[in-house]
Amino acid sequence: MARFEVAYERLDGGEYVPWWHSLALILLTSFCMMLSTVFSPAGWALQSDPKSAGLANAAMLGMLVSLTAPVALIWRHRAPFWFTLVAAIVPLVLPVGMVPALVLLASLIGRRRGPAVWWTLGAVGLSTFVVLTLDALAQPRNASLSKMFLASGSEPNEPVSIPVWHVWVAGVILVAAAWGIGLLLRSQRGERNRIHQVRQQQVAVSRLGDEVARRQERERIAREVHDVMGHRLSVLNLHAGALEMNAGDDARLHDSASLVRESAGKAMEDLRSLLGVLREPLGEEPVAIPLARLPEVVAESFGAGQMINSSIYIADPERADPALSRAVYRIVQEVLTNARKHAPDSPVTLSVQGAPARGIVIDACNRYRATGRTPQPGSARGLQGITERAELLGGSMKYGLTAGGTVFRVTVTLPWREASGV
């Protein structure tokens, strides 16, 4: 069996009007429905002949509907077609008037567009003409709402006749008013949508401009770093190579020169990697450094002549987020660099323990060489960099002197972060 469907286009995007707007419509609609019920044959029968059970019951039911049904206007945007059609059918059974149907029709036209809207408009218009015609034929004057306005000079209980075409003109005006108000609401809503789209485009253009400016700044920094540091490292590598070749039988000088040359080469590789990151498109993540490579950092420190007692254990390192892996890698590197810089002849005790359930704890300590003052927070750029890396991931860092001021200790705690898709 074929299914009957009428197409329409939604224009509101699911937005809702302020609550006070709905409250005003509820109060106005309820008042108009009660007025229509009072000035109707059922209302007149309830006043003049309460014993007429049929009309009196219809009047009482109409009063009840007038007080309760307008609350449904709060949900008029969820199913506007059904609400409008029901509101157009109910006045054919109960004397509640056409105001609810006209209000719902205006709301429908303001939020929908298409053949379904025209069909609903025709249904409301037909119901309006039927209800107004029956009201114009009702007797006496107080049993007709239209006669209350068009024949106000007559006695309330006297029969009065008015041309039917008068109420037809009134019906055309009411339906046209609802249609016009709906088109006005649609126009206002379209204007708000256009303004919203323009603002979104302006924000996107501004964001794009900021990204271009950052991109240019990154390119400028990359060029300056390449020109300055690249040249100096190349000169250092060249002189270290010459010194290594001319060391002769001095094994210690040969090893030192070789170490300087290798360190300069690795520094050049790190510099190229950093410049590659600066030149990457904005928004792209740098290459991930897995936690499984962490022992390589310690091995490189051994190769540089640093004495290290290390204990590294991380459960399920492949589950770690790349940002967490990079942070751990760089923090360990900076901790060892900081120890080598300030206490080159002192052994370093390093411990890295981590698991998804408890996070990662990096602990390093070395013997402290007294310099006449206690290290203060932010006094060293290396320690400041470690602190910033830890705080970016929601972690923390503690450092200071222990064991009676003879040992300098750094402890970094990082929360675990799962890699996406794990």
Side-chain angles (χ1 to χ4, degrees):
M1 181 178 179
R3 183 179 178 182
F4 178 73
E5 293 183 356
V6 181
Y8 65 89
E9 178 185 357
R10 187 167 183 168
L11 304 174
D12 57 354
E15 63 181 11
Y16 291 92
V17 297
W19 64 269
W20 57 267
H21 192 176
S22 296
L23 178 61
L25 284 179
I26 290 173
L27 295 177
L28 176 63
T29 302
S30 179
F31 173 76
C32 293
M33 292 175 69
M34 293 183 65
L35 193 65
S36 298
T37 303
V38 170
F39 295 101
S40 67
W44 173 255
L46 184 62
Q47 299 175 39
S48 60
D49 187 13
K51 296 182 180 180
S52 55
L55 292 177
N57 291 338
M60 294 299 293
L61 184 57
M63 287 290 184
L64 180 62
V65 171
S66 300
L67 293 174
T68 58
V71 179
L73 291 174
I74 297 176
W75 300 281
R76 65 188 182 278
H77 309 309
R78 297 186 179 181
F81 290 103
W82 287 107
F83 276 100
T84 306
L85 291 175
V86 170
I89 294 174
V90 170
L92 300 176
V93 182
L94 295 176
V96 292
M98 292 301 302
V99 171
L102 295 173
V103 170
L104 289 169
L105 177 63
S107 178
L108 172 65
I109 294 174
R111 292 176 174 269
R112 301 292 187 272
R113 179 171 56 194
V117 176
W118 293 106
W119 283 103
T120 307
L121 174 64
V124 173
L126 179 61
S127 178
T128 300
F129 277 90
V130 172
V131 170
L132 291 180
T133 301
L134 294 176
D135 182 76
L137 298 176
Q139 298 293 349
R141 183 176 71 89
N142 271 16
S144 171
L145 181 61
S146 58
K147 291 178 181 179
M148 286 294 299
F149 293 99
L150 299 179
S152 57
S154 305
E155 291 295 328
N157 55 353
E158 291 182 357
V160 179
S161 297
I162 59 173
V164 178
W165 67 269
H166 286 182
V167 296
W168 288 352
V169 172
V172 171
I173 294 174
L174 291 175
V175 175
W179 179 62
I181 292 174
L183 292 180
L184 178 62
L185 294 175
R186 180 189 297 179
S187 175
Q188 292 177 347
R189 184 167 291 108
E191 183 65 23
R192 288 197 299 269
N193 291 338
R194 284 189 291 272
I195 293 175
H196 180 67
Q197 292 176 358
V198 170
R199 289 177 179 174
Q200 285 184 330
Q201 292 176 356
Q202 290 175 345
V203 171
V205 170
S206 177
R207 185 184 299 112
L208 182 60
D210 293 341
E211 291 180 356
V212 171
R214 288 197 300 269
R215 174 70 177 176
Q216 292 175 347
E217 182 66 15
R218 287 157 66 105
E219 287 284 355
R220 184 187 65 81
I221 294 174
R223 286 194 300 269
E224 290 182 0
V225 171
H226 180 271
D227 294 342
V228 177
M229 297 302 298
H231 173 70
R232 293 183 179 180
L233 288 174
S234 298
V235 172
L236 178 62
N237 193 6
L238 179 64
H239 283 277
L243 184 61
E244 181 182 3
M245 293 179 61
N246 297 323
D249 298 333
D250 193 340
R252 185 174 181 180
L253 178 60
H254 181 276
D255 293 341
S256 297
S258 177
L259 177 61
V260 171
R261 181 178 56 79
E262 292 177 0
S263 298
K266 292 180 179 179
M268 284 293 295
E269 293 179 0
D270 292 340
L271 179 61
R272 294 191 187 97
S273 177
L274 176 60
L275 295 180
V277 171
L278 286 175
R279 286 168 173 157
E280 284 178 356
L282 296 176
E284 291 190 4
E285 291 291 336
V287 178
I289 303 175
L291 284 178
R293 289 182 53 190
L294 187 57
E296 297 180 12
V297 180
V298 179
E300 290 176 0
S301 298
F302 274 117
Q306 189 173 14
M307 295 177 288
I308 301 177
N309 297 320
S310 62
S311 173
I312 302 175
Y313 176 76
I314 301 176
D316 298 327
E318 67 279 355
R319 294 176 54 184
D321 184 76
L324 176 62
S325 301
R326 286 191 296 270
V328 173
Y329 184 92
R330 296 305 182 190
I331 288 174
V332 171
Q333 194 175 47
E334 290 174 5
V335 165
L336 297 179
T337 301
N338 189 68
R340 183 169 59 247
K341 182 187 300 182
H342 297 287
D345 299 329
S346 299
V348 180
T349 301
L350 174 68
S351 172
V352 182
Q353 306 293 328
R358 61 178 183 271
I360 295 179
V361 178
I362 303 170
D363 184 84
C365 59
N366 59 276
R367 185 166 297 278
Y368 173 67
R369 290 186 175 183
T371 59
R373 60 185 179 89
T374 302
Q376 299 296 324
S379 61
R381 294 181 60 185
L383 295 177
Q384 184 178 0
I386 297 173
T387 303
E388 292 174 353
R389 290 184 185 275
E391 291 178 349
L392 283 175
L393 291 179
S396 61
M397 186 185 79
K398 297 180 181 179
Y399 59 91
L401 298 177
T402 61
T406 61
V407 175
F408 185 75
R409 186 168 190 171
V410 177
T411 302
V412 180
T413 303
L414 298 175
W416 186 270
R417 294 177 60 174
E418 292 281 348
S420 60
V422 175

